[in-house]
Amino acid sequence: RIVRDGGAFVWPFLQEPACLSLEPIPVEVDLDQALTSDGIRVHLPTSVAVAISRDPDRLSTAVDRLLALSTAAIGDLARRIVDGEMRQIIGTMTITELNCERDRFQHQVTESTAASLRKIGLEVVHLACGDLSDYDGYIQAIGQRAAAEVILAARIEVEEMQRQSDVRSAEV
C-alpha cells in the first residue's frame, strides 16, 4: 500500500513501513571514451537530476523496483542508464554533429533517457551536458581552422579596402 502526504496505521508484525524519497537525486555522468560514428573517442561530462515519478502508475513501479535500494544505489542505477543511452546516441552522430548540434543531441538524450527511466519509475528532472572534448585533438583542429579562415578573410578584406583607397587617392 502506498501512502502519500499523510500517515497510515501499520499493523505490527503484519506490515513493515518503508519510505521512498521523492526528492531529486543529483547524478554526475562522466562519459569517457564514447565512440562517435566517425570513430573519434570523446569525453562528455553530464549532470542529471532524477526523481521518483509522482504519477500513480510510475510511483507504483518505483515502489516495486526501487524500495529496497538506497538513494545512492538509485542514483548509480540512473547513472548507468544515462551513460548507456548517451553512448548509444553518440554512436549515431559524427563529432561535427555533436559539436555543432548540441541542442539536438541534448534533446535526444533527454527523450531517450526519460523513456528508459520511466520503466523503473524514475523521471528526468534536469539534464545538462558539459564541454565536449576528444582525445585526438579534432575539435581543437576545427577551431584552429575556423580561426585561420576568419583571419584570412579579414586580411583579404583589409587588402581590398586598401586597394580601393589607393585607387581613390590616385584618381584625385
Side-chain angles (χ1 to χ4, degrees):
R1 174 171 67 151
I2 298 173
V3 178
R4 284 184 53 197
D5 302 328
F9 182 75
V10 176
W11 292 95
F13 306 110
L14 297 175
Q15 295 176 324
E16 184 179 330
C19 292
L20 194 58
S21 174
L22 300 179
E23 294 295 318
I25 302 167
V27 178
E28 296 299 321
V29 180
D30 191 29
L31 188 69
D32 199 28
Q33 299 286 331
L35 192 62
T36 63
S37 65
D38 49 358
I40 296 174
R41 296 203 177 273
V42 296
H43 175 254
L44 183 61
T46 304
S47 296
V48 183
V50 298
I52 305 295
S53 178
R54 293 178 183 262
D55 176 79
D57 292 334
R58 292 192 196 124
L59 181 59
S60 178
T61 301
V63 167
D64 290 341
R65 300 198 176 163
L66 305 174
L67 188 59
L69 300 177
S70 67
T71 302
I74 293 170
D76 186 55
L77 178 62
R79 182 193 56 74
R80 286 184 279 140
I81 290 171
V82 172
D83 184 276
E85 294 294 335
M86 287 180 68
R87 286 182 189 280
Q88 185 176 4
I89 293 168
I90 286 173
T92 65
M93 298 177 77
T94 66
I95 192 161
T96 304
E97 290 172 334
L98 276 172
N99 196 34
C100 296
E101 300 176 23
R102 293 294 293 276
D103 289 339
R104 180 175 70 96
F105 169 72
Q106 192 163 329
H107 178 73
Q108 282 182 325
V109 170
T110 301
E111 291 298 314
S112 179
T113 301
S116 295
L117 290 174
R118 216 174 285 129
K119 295 175 185 173
I120 59 171
L122 294 174
E123 62 185 21
V124 176
V125 177
H126 177 73
L127 186 138
C129 296
D131 291 334
L132 177 69
S133 61
D134 70 291
Y135 295 93
D136 301 320
Y138 186 81
I139 294 173
Q140 185 177 2
I142 291 172
Q144 289 173 345
R145 182 179 69 197
E149 288 172 356
V150 168
I151 291 169
L152 180 62
R155 285 182 181 159
I156 290 171
E157 188 175 324
V158 166
E159 288 175 8
E160 181 63 30
M161 293 173 84
Q162 183 64 40
R163 190 172 30 251
Q164 289 175 1
S165 175
D166 290 346
V167 167
R168 282 190 213 124
S169 296
E171 290 176 350
V172 175

